[in-house]
Amino acid sequence: MADQILSGGGANGNHGVAVNIKDDDRDSKNTTENSSTCIFLTVPFIQKIIAETLGTYFLIFAGCASVVVNSDKEKVVTLPGISIVWGLAVMVMVYSVGHISGAHFNPAVTIAFATCKRFPWKQVPAYVSAQVVGSTLASGTLRLLFSGTHDHFAGTLPTGSDVQSLVVEFIITFYLMFVISGVATDNRAIGELAGLAVGATVLLNVMFAGPISGASMNPARSLGPAIVSTHYKGIWIYLLGPIAGAISGAWVYNIIRFTNKPLREITKTASFLKTSSRNNNSS
């Protein structure tokens, strides 16, 4: 869920690129082409993809199971209970695999980090695919366990207008990504508390936004149940809102990250965004 959580390095994924001995210009060209694709064949990268798939599976299984059980057992879990389950699930999975894959579990987070140059774009399709697969498998498991006459939809649906849910999803995902950027990418923060901070943010968001939009904050969280149940009503809300909110949250944090420097120093040699990007890569 957060890149660089529990790790001290830069953005994940710039490891394992093969370097071949070049004998002539043709070999040089082949080496350049191969080095851009070899990253997808390395054991560390495969481990990251497996970690993202399993982490998303267990996150969605636990969170959506709380929703299904609450519907199936006469509201026994309650809204506060569902919120706590989501928050705890995020927290424990961040601490479990954050040091392996960065613990994104969320296409919106992955895309937001990529736009800030804190995650390589060439790895985004693999990460997003792993997250959607994990969510779909978890939703399928729940569908098998709770099938029959009481077939409960574990996905997200707007209870009011589409615009209301879109705005809510944008705001809560902005809030989530802002927190992730603060605790997981700024070396001045206490990185060991990242899982607790992110989990608590998810808990808070689900508590008040769950009855309105379902508090997705995660396109994979909404896509998995929708694919399994072939129920796509309002799915665009849960694709557009979280992705736009995450990108905005990440960039707004980048703006305030450097307020300890004088404005003339920030804008002295280049535009603010270029300076921010350069400082991000060096931090």
Side-chain angles (χ1 to χ4, degrees):
M1 190 102 184
D3 197 34
Q4 303 173 323
I5 286 178
L6 302 181
S7 64
N12 290 327
N14 294 318
H15 310 290
V17 179
V19 178
N20 299 322
I21 298 175
K22 303 183 289 292
D23 295 327
D24 51 28
D25 292 340
R26 180 177 296 179
D27 289 340
S28 177
K29 181 179 180 180
N30 291 337
T31 300
T32 302
E33 293 174 352
N34 289 337
S35 65
S36 64
T37 58
C38 282
I39 190 170
F40 298 106
L41 302 178
T42 60
V43 172
F45 184 72
I46 294 173
Q47 290 174 328
K48 292 178 182 180
I49 295 304
I50 293 174
E52 279 295 301
T53 304
L54 290 176
T56 308
Y57 176 91
F58 289 121
L59 169 63
I60 301 302
F61 180 82
C64 289
S66 67
V67 176
V68 173
V69 171
N70 190 59
S71 299
D72 192 58
K73 303 297 181 182
E74 299 180 353
K75 312 297 181 182
V76 65
V77 182
T78 71
L79 175 61
I82 293 173
S83 304
I84 292 171
V85 169
W86 278 109
L88 288 178
V90 169
M91 182 183 71
V92 299
M93 293 315 302
V94 164
Y95 286 128
S96 296
V97 299
H99 53 286
I100 298 174
S101 68
H104 294 192
F105 312 144
N106 186 339
V109 171
T110 301
I111 293 171
F113 275 129
T115 63
C116 296
K117 298 183 180 180
R118 290 188 169 273
F119 189 77
W121 275 107
K122 60 187 176 182
Q123 293 188 23
V124 170
Y127 260 59
V128 171
S129 298
Q131 292 153 2
V132 174
V133 167
S135 176
T136 304
L137 291 175
S139 302
T141 304
L142 290 172
R143 182 71 179 269
L144 292 174
L145 291 174
F146 296 91
S147 60
T149 55
H150 300 288
D151 186 17
H152 303 286
F153 179 56
T156 50
L157 292 171
T159 58
S161 68
D162 288 353
V163 173
Q164 181 190 47
S165 292
L166 178 65
V167 173
V168 168
E169 286 295 323
F170 177 89
I171 293 173
I172 62 177
T173 312
F174 180 104
Y175 180 21
L176 174 63
M177 193 67 207
F178 188 85
V179 172
I180 291 173
S181 297
V183 299
T185 69
D186 197 327
N187 55 18
R188 295 170 296 179
I190 303 175
E192 291 76 9
L193 297 180
L196 181 61
V198 175
T201 305
V202 171
L203 188 157
L204 289 172
N205 286 342
V206 175
M207 185 77 76
F208 71 84
I212 301 171
S213 66
S216 175
M217 298 172 278
N218 185 340
R221 181 263 180 271
S222 296
L223 269 176
I227 292 171
V228 170
S229 300
T230 63
H231 197 309
Y232 297 100
K233 178 183 178 183
I235 193 67
W236 67 273
I237 296 171
Y238 305 102
L239 300 179
L240 177 60
I243 292 175
I247 293 173
S248 301
W251 277 100
V252 167
Y253 187 83
N254 280 346
I255 291 174
I256 69 167
R257 183 194 299 267
F258 306 105
T259 53
N260 60 328
K261 294 184 178 182
L263 181 61
R264 62 180 180 274
E265 180 180 344
I266 293 175
T267 58
K268 180 169 55 178
T269 59
S271 69
F272 176 73
L273 290 180
K274 289 183 179 179
T275 305
S276 299
S277 176
R278 185 163 56 251
N279 288 331
N280 281 346
N281 292 331
S282 63
S283 62

